[in-house]
Amino acid sequence: MTSKMKQWVALAAVAALVLVAGGWFLLVSPKRADAAALRTQVGEKQQANQVLQTQIAALKAQAKDLPKQQATLAAVAAKIPNNGAMPTLIRSLNSAADDTGVELVSMAPTAPTPVVAAAATGATTAATGTARPSGAAAAAVGSLESVGVTLNVVGSYFQVAEYLDRLEGLARAFRVTTFAVVPGSNPVKPSASQPTSDSGKVLSATITGLVFQTQGGSTAALATAK
Amino acid sequence: MTVVSSEVRLGMTNSQLPRVNLLPPEIAETAMLRKVQVSLGVGLIATVGVVGLLFVSASHSASSASSDLDRASSQSTTLIKQKASYANVTATYDAAAAAQAQLTTAMGREVRYSQLLHDLSLSVPSTVWLKSLTYTQAAPAAPAAGPAGAAAAASIGTLAVTGVGFNHDDLALWLESLGGQKNYSDPYFSASTETLMGTRKTVNFTSTATLTPAALSGRYTKPLGD
């Protein structure tokens, strides 16, 4: 082989190398990188779509149970209204007294105060110490407040016990915290028409309890949403 | 007559014929160089072709991945819209859970005093009369470590009773009666004093007992409707 031929072969080999290297690094490799990146994105997207599909399937299943959840919301809203609802409470307490035969002598509420969460609830924030659920649900249900109510009723032992039973069964949640009975007399009945307090037939009961309300919440829209 | 070729007559084959190359070496070399150049050119073109094929393949792969990504993105958009249409389901479930938690916070420590009174009326010894009784429910305390914490956990309130018996043994009977009920523990008395009721000797006593967690109704610690 002549030296001229060797030069041509060497030149061609270099040119081929340059072509291959240039083509690979400037054209093929970037395109392959693009394709790999796109395939990674496709994989991530498909994975996200699978998660979404699973979530939608779960939501579809949950949607079938929606009426039950709405019933729960409505039941809790009846137990804990989103306002004082004092007229309803007064009527309920008085109606229970009429039904059981006790004399509802007096009732006195206190101002609403935020409820300090008990350890068992698990839906509280430590910073405020109030029973406030976290997340978007907080806006729907609002913060819990309690209103102290002190009642004085007069009646027999069993009438008082029956009245307590009615309080425990009110549509609105009423939690008795202190209960005291002593011999007494009905202050709105003539003394001649009732037994003496020493007989123990008439008892004066002081019932201290709590009713609850939420502040700033409204679950009505959710309770009826389709 | 047999025809015999001159080669046979000379006793020689074709291969044994002497060959004489009359082409000048410069021209042969130029022809060889031309061949090599053509071969190298073809090789270079083939190299360009291979690089081109690789580029087309990578481009196709990228384009295919891009189409897949578009499809996945489009599916993702559809799924996100579909999921958003169930937003009220999530909100209702969250609100129901939060409302249920609030109800548990509010009423989790409910004691049905009407039932305690009923049980008490059945368990009072026949020789004992109750004059007054006071149930006081303690506010929930943060759990403390050690025996003090255990004692606090075993007590949710107190019962204080004043009563009358015929003698001191009746007070003992009363304390045994209280101690035998799961709702009370640690029955104790602070005073037992003999006195005259009319012409009969009686004993006035003051007693206390601890309300145990068994007295909690538990009605609100499980979801409503269960």
Side-chain angles (χ1 to χ4, degrees), chain A residues 33-128:
Chain A
D34 281 355
L38 283 169
R39 272 195 297 271
T40 306
Q41 284 181 37
V42 169
E44 287 168 354
K45 211 68 167 173
Q46 283 173 341
Q47 214 168 358
N49 286 352
Q50 272 181 350
V51 171
L52 276 172
Q53 278 171 337
T54 309
Q55 287 174 343
I56 288 167
L59 285 170
K60 269 184 188 169
Q62 284 186 334
K64 286 180 189 163
D65 209 21
L66 198 59
K68 192 181 168 192
Q69 297 299 318
Q70 289 172 330
T72 300
L73 268 179
V76 175
K79 294 276 179 199
I80 305 176
N82 66 352
N83 59 62
M86 281 298 165
T88 310
L89 178 66
I90 292 166
R91 287 193 188 97
S92 302
L93 295 174
N94 210 29
S95 168
D98 289 345
D99 291 347
T100 55
V102 297
E103 187 71 47
L104 178 55
V105 179
S106 69
M107 48 187 165
T110 63
T113 52
V115 173
V116 176
T121 64
T124 59
T125 53
T128 60

Side-chain angles (χ1 to χ4, degrees), chain A residues 2 4-5 8-9 12 15-16 19-20 23-24 27-28 31-32 34-35 38-39 41-42 45-46 49 52-53 55-56 59-63 65-66 68-70 72-73 75-76 79-80 115-119 121 123 131-133 137 140-144 157-158 160-161 164-165 168-169 173-183 203 212 214 219 222 225-226, chain B residues 29 32-33 36-37 40 43-45 47-48 51 54-55 58-63 65-66 68-73 75-80 82-83 86-118 120-121 130-138 140 143 219-220 224-226:
Chain A
T2 62
K4 203 168 186 183
M5 217 176 280
W8 271 103
V9 170
L19 266 176
V20 168
W24 182 263
L27 297 173
V28 179
K31 217 56 176 172
R32 282 169 61 95
D34 281 355
L38 283 169
R39 272 195 297 271
Q41 284 181 37
V42 169
K45 211 68 167 173
Q46 283 173 341
N49 286 352
L52 276 172
Q53 278 171 337
Q55 287 174 343
I56 288 167
L59 285 170
K60 269 184 188 169
Q62 284 186 334
D65 209 21
L66 198 59
K68 192 181 168 192
Q69 297 299 318
Q70 289 172 330
T72 300
L73 268 179
V76 175
K79 294 276 179 199
I80 305 176
V115 173
V116 176
T121 64
R132 186 185 290 274
V141 298
S143 59
L144 186 64
Y157 181 89
F158 291 104
V160 170
L164 275 176
D165 185 55
E168 290 156 5
F174 189 109
R175 178 155 71 85
V176 177
T177 54
T178 306
F179 170 71
V181 285
V182 292
L203 300 172
F212 300 90
T214 55
T219 55
L222 291 173
K226 298 284 178 196
Chain B
E29 198 173 304
M32 182 60 91
L33 183 61
V36 169
Q37 281 174 336
L40 291 175
L44 281 178
I45 289 167
T47 306
V48 169
V51 170
L54 285 173
F55 178 72
S59 295
H60 177 73
S61 177
S63 153
S66 178
D68 287 350
L69 184 61
D70 287 346
R71 259 197 306 278
S73 297
Q75 190 189 10
S76 176
T77 309
T78 309
L79 289 173
I80 287 168
Q82 209 175 339
K83 189 185 171 189
Y86 289 103
N88 71 315
V89 174
T90 312
T92 304
Y93 267 76
D94 289 349
Q100 185 69 54
Q102 277 193 340
L103 188 61
T104 303
T105 301
M107 298 296 290
R109 291 175 58 79
E110 184 204 41
V111 173
R112 296 200 68 181
Y113 289 100
S114 62
Q115 292 184 355
L116 293 191
L117 284 184
H118 178 73
L120 209 57
S121 71
L130 304 186
K131 286 173 74 178
S132 71
L133 58 89
T134 303
Y135 283 104
T136 307
Q137 202 171 338
R219 288 194 296 171
Y220 297 99
L224 284 182
D226 278 10

